[in-house]
């Protein structure tokens, strides 16, 4: 096992760790579409908060 | 403390909200851009040391909602008890805006009026006496220009200081029976005459708004049924051409060169390491993600141009000119806006359907709008245009216009299935004043989206590519598959059953089936997966590829002819969008039946288009039908049968409802 | 000219089954001249929600309305200080 291999293994592990952690965090925040190009300008971006959830809208969703 | 932003559509609420909070919410020069409420903290420079949340609401003409998004606004100010309301008033249309203002003033919540767009008034020589208006309305009034941050600080400071106080209304609705339509009408009329009285006293106009101006002549051409549609076609073609055939690829070529160099370097470093490691890092992660990121310039240029279009006021004209056509197929002119937004991303497009009033039209539009290729599909289009059609610009233009045709056909189909009878459907669209699009805004929105694109590539796409790479490398016993035995890998065994279904379409191999499946997670995955399963990266650099024989290498590796390549491309474009968009459809339609109908329709459309292109194309180029013609025909027959069955059931249900309606009417008449 | 006008009127009636058509002499926005300002006599969309929506835009009985341009299937009008595009059905429902 040479130095390049070790670095590569560590790099893959780090990249995957951060990618998965990011996805997990966003999902937990209630973001349905990670990295959607419309991002912040999309009302769906923050569903749990003010998102598209008006009181009226959410009432219907519950049913 | 929460401050709500309310006002007429297109009065500049979101622009002001963005300026005050530093957010980058979507804006556009037409009514109904904002379809949901949003909240965020005010910037420190405006809020001081207090914690102030600004709430941006969709535009509304009054407290009685007409469209679903108007309902959000009236519901919010009525029930959520904000500490203060900033009423944004379009100063160029004072007489209409104040109707809503007087209603807000009755709520008892302190109101500050922001007289927005005063720069346009200055240009037109319209003067409004702010002090007098303030006295008449019994609330503070500030002149603002939210596009230039003018007057915002004073206005918001006043709103913060007023929070918690009680507003005294200048006009109170008399106590009437709210169920008595005539009484309500009479009251509203009185309110309007009160408003008209104020406007007469405070406003002096130099140019009458009823005068015909040169802008009206332009509007005349743009809303002309023939010239207007031609202009729209040329404008959209221009957007696609610049972003996908000229400027976009120019930048992309350069970017791809760097990515390839980097990939080569990584592979070089790993020469002495196990092959699997090199495959995972160089091919899977760097190659797969790089293949997607390589298309970023195309997407960025497109977002920039679309942002310019949305900002200048052209969209309202497009929707006016398209209305008669859309109406004929059972949609509304407002369906155009989701379609254009859909070129960027399907999810906001589906949500924009909320401004459509009729439920059936709304559902039908949200079901069909994703036929327009979104930004995530651009890499897929560009890949196939580059590898199989010499980078021809017509491929992307054809993709968009075929999408439009499919929307029309789909709408006709839905009209047929639901047994939709001719019904009065009115269309009214405000034509906002033209405005020079802000380059700064377009640039900002482009960068924002570019950032999101990179994040997506570096997270979702990266993880998917890694998983695909691993599934391709190992078999079910977790042994590395040997060369020549690729068909035993996990990926191959999962994707093969699907591949059989695709034989009539001309691309029944597991690699292509796997790419199409990963596309449901995110459409860019099609490119990423193809890069991984075929170990290719340089998709886009057509000129260089031609020299090294690369374009034909790509084509040869995939084993597709130009006919089957086109079939595969269209299959990916017109099958259901990504899961996120399907989720958005679900929450907008609020009906299981419609959602499954939508997914079925999209699957059927993608399958049928690919089937037709493959079979007819092969017949044309080789003089015989392609493999699997009969099974494909049987599949098509099943789809038609399912359609007829659904249509029968829906119609029976429709008649039943109609009968019930009649019965209740008869009962009413009897009593 | 007279005949053409009458024919036009008839087709309009047939298409929308608008009750107000029966009352002779009622001019709708479709019969108006571009560039002219008219006073609205009646709004008749057969749809209460639509009527009240138009009302809130400032389009109601007794208010002025200016026709800017007219097409086969739509027209552009000025109500209060805003420009709107109306479709044929809506133009026919506005009696001036």
């Amino acid at each position: 096992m040479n130095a390049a291999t070790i670095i590569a293994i560590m790099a893959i592990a780090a990249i995957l760790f951060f990618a998965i952690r990011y996805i997990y965090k966003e999902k937990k925040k209630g973001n349905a579409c990670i990295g959607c190009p419309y991002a912040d300008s999309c009302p769906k971006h923050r569903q749990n908060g003010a998102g598209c959830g008006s009181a009226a809208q959410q009432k219907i969703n519950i049913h | 403390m929460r401050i709500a932003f309310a006002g007429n559509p297109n009065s500049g609420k979101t622009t002001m909200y963005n300026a005050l909070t530093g957010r980058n919410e979507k804006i556009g020069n037409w009514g109904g851009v904002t379809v949901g409420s949003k909240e965020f903290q005010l910037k420190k420079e405006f809020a001081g040391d207090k914690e102030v949340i600004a709430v941006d609401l969709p535009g509304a003409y009054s407290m009685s909602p007409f469209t679903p998004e108007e309902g959000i606004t009236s519901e919010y100010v009525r029930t959520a008890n904000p500490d203060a309301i900033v009423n944004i008033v379009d100063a160029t249309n004072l007489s209409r805006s104040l109707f809503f203002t007087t209603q807000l003033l009755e709520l008892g919540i302190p109101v500050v009026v922001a007289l927005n767009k005063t720069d346009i008034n200055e240009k037109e020589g319209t003067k409004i006496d702010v002090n007098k208006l303030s006295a008449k309305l019994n609330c503070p009034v500030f002149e603002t220009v939210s596009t230039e941050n003018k007057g915002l600080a004073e206005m918001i400071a006043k709103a913060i200081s007023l929070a918690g106080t009680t507003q005294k209304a200048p006009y109170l609705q008399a106590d009437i029976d709210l169920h008595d339509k005539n009484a309500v009408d009479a009251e509203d009329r009185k309110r309007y005459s009160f408003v008209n009285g104020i406007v007469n006293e405070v406003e002096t106009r130099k140019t009458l708004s009823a005068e015909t101006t040169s802008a009206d002549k332009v509007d005349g051409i743009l809303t002309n049924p023939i010239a207007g549609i031609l202009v729209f076609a040329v404008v959209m073609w221009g957007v696609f051409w610049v972003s996908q055939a000229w400027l976009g690829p120019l930048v992309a070529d350069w970017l791809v060169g760097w990515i390839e160099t980097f990939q080569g370097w990584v592979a070089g470093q790993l020469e002495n390491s196990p092959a699997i490691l090199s495959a995972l890092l160089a091919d899977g992660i760097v190659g797969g993600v790089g293949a997607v990121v390589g298309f970023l310039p195309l997407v960025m240029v497109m977002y920039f141009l679309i942002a310019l279009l949305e900002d200048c006021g052209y969209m309202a004209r497009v929707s006016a000119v398209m209305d008669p056509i859309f109406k004929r197929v059972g949609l509304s002119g407002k369906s155009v806006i989701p379609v254009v937004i859909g070129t960027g991303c399907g999810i906001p497009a589906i949500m924009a359907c909320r401004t459509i009033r009729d439920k059936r039209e709304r559902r039908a539009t949200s079901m069909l709008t994703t036929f327009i290729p979104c930004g995530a599909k651009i890499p897929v289009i560009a890949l196939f245009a580059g590898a199989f059609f010499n980078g021809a610009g017509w491929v992307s233009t054809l993709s968009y216009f075929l999408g439009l045709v499919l929307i029309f056909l789909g709408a006709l189909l839905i009209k047929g299935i639901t047994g939709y009878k001719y019904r009065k459907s009115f269309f009214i669209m405000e034509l906002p004043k033209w405005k020079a699009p802000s380059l700064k805004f377009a640039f900002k929105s482009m960068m924002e989206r570019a950032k999101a694109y990179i994040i997506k590539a570096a997270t979702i796409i990266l993880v998917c590519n890694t998983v695909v790479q691993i599934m391709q490398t190992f078999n079910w016993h977790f042994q590395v598959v040997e060369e020549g035995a690729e068909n035993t890998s996990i990926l191959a065994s999962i994707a093969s059953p699907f591949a059989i279904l695709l034989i009539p379409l001309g691309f029944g191999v597991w690699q292509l089936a796997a790419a199409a499946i990963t596309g449901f997670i995110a459409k860019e995955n099609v490119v990423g997966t193809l890069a991984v399963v075929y170990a290719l990266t340089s998709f886009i650099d057509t000129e260089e590829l031609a020299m090294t024989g690369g374009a034909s290498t790509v084509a040869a590796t995939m084993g597709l002819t130009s006919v089957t390549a086109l079939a595969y491309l269209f299959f990916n474009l017109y099958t259901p969008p990504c899961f996120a968009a399907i989720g958005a459809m679900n929450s907008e339609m609020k009906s299981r039946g419609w959602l499954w109908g939508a997914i079925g329709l999209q699957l059927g459309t993608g399958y049928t288009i690919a089937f037709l292109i493959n079979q007819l194309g092969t017949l044309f180029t080789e003089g015989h039908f392609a493999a699997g013609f009969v099974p494909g025909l049987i599949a098509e027959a099943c789809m038609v049968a399912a359609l007829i069955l659904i249509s029968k059931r829906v119609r029976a249900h429709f008649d039943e409802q109609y009968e019930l309606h009649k019965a209740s009417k008869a009962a009413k008449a009897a009593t | 000219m007279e005949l053409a006008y009458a024919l036009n009127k008839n087709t309009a009636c047939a298409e929308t089954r608008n009750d107000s058509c029966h009352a002779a002499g009622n001019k709708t926005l479709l019969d108006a001249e571009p560039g002219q300002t008219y006073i609205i006599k009646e709004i008749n969309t057969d749809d209460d929600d639509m009527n009240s929506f138009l009302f809130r835009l400032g389009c109601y009985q007794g208010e002025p309305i200016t026709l800017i341009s007219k097409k086969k299937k739509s027209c552009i009008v000025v109500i209060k200080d805003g420009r709107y595009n109306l479709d044929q059905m809506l133009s026919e429902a506005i009696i001036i």
Side-chain angles (χ1 to χ4, degrees), chain B residues 431-497:
Chain B
L431 300 179
K433 290 205 165 71
W434 288 96
K435 145 177 188 283
S438 149
L439 291 177
K440 195 181 118 202
F441 156 71
F443 184 76
K444 248 174 93 178
S445 102
M446 174 182 81
M447 292 315 281
E448 177 103 353
R449 288 168 196 181
K451 192 180 119 198
Y453 187 93
I454 292 171
I455 289 177
K456 192 176 184 182
T459 55
I460 300 251
I461 310 284
L462 185 141
V463 172
C464 284
N465 280 340
T466 316
V467 171
V468 166
Q469 179 78 46
I470 292 172
M471 283 167 72
Q472 189 194 223
T473 314
F474 293 100
N475 62 20
W476 287 100
H477 305 291
F478 288 101
Q479 287 158 338
V480 177
V481 284
E482 281 160 41
E483 212 155 313
E486 282 89 358
N487 290 345
T488 58
S489 71
I490 299 179
L491 187 69
S493 59
I494 292 178
S496 292

Side-chain angles (χ1 to χ4, degrees), chain C residues 43-94:
Chain C
I43 308 268
N44 201 340
T45 59
D46 285 350
D47 177 346
D48 281 347
D49 284 346
M50 192 69 214
N51 281 348
S52 53
F53 179 70
L54 286 173
F55 181 91
R56 278 170 240 131
L57 297 180
C59 178
Y60 56 96
Q61 192 195 341
E63 279 291 304
I65 185 167
T66 309
L67 188 69
I68 293 284
S69 65
K70 199 163 63 170
K71 306 263 152 51
K72 228 157 117 201
K73 293 220 163 144
S74 66
C75 63
I76 300 176
V77 295
V78 176
I79 302 164
K80 297 264 174 195
D81 300 318
R83 275 166 168 66
Y84 301 88
N85 186 288
L86 308 181
D87 66 354
Q88 192 185 12
M89 297 247 277
L90 210 49
S91 323
E92 278 167 356
I94 298 174

Side-chain angles (χ1 to χ4, degrees), chain B residues 114-282:
Chain B
L115 209 52
N116 206 13
K117 301 192 187 176
T118 40
D119 53 333
I120 301 180
N121 264 2
E122 256 166 53
K123 241 184 265 159
E124 291 181 350
T126 305
K127 285 208 179 69
I128 296 172
D129 186 338
V130 178
N131 294 331
K132 217 171 186 180
L133 182 63
S134 170
K136 289 265 172 204
L137 290 177
N138 215 352
C139 78
V141 178
F142 292 90
E143 287 191 318
T144 57
V145 183
S146 48
T147 48
E148 295 165 19
N149 274 357
K150 231 172 82 186
L152 297 188
E154 298 90 333
M155 186 274 300
I156 203 72
K158 186 77 190 168
I160 293 171
S161 72
L162 280 181
T165 59
T166 316
Q167 177 70 42
K168 243 182 78 194
Y171 176 88
L172 266 178
Q173 187 166 295
D175 261 333
I176 50 157
D177 177 12
L178 290 172
H179 297 287
D180 182 359
K181 204 182 148 290
N182 290 333
V184 174
D185 266 6
E187 262 315 305
D188 280 350
R189 221 167 271 265
K190 261 196 235 159
R191 185 188 295 276
Y192 240 130
S193 55
F194 171 77
V195 167
N196 287 345
I198 296 181
V199 174
N200 283 339
E201 276 188 57
V202 300
E203 186 188 66
T204 43
R205 278 182 175 268
K206 206 163 154 197
T207 40
L208 284 176
S209 50
E211 268 168 42
T212 310
T213 59
S214 54
D216 287 323
K217 291 201 183 101
V218 176
D219 283 352
I221 296 167
L222 291 182
T223 54
N224 179 296
I226 296 160
I229 287 170
L230 272 178
V231 171
F232 177 57
V234 169
V235 167
M236 288 320 274
W237 178 82
V239 169
F240 301 140
W241 184 76
V242 171
S243 62
Q244 286 161 48
W246 176 57
L247 187 60
L250 214 67
V251 188
D253 278 356
W254 172 82
L255 182 65
V256 168
W258 281 102
I259 293 173
E260 270 175 44
T261 315
F262 179 63
Q263 193 190 1
W265 178 80
V266 173
Q269 295 296 311
L270 294 173
E271 252 175 358
N272 301 322
S273 310
I276 168 130
L277 213 58
S278 169
L280 206 57
L281 192 63

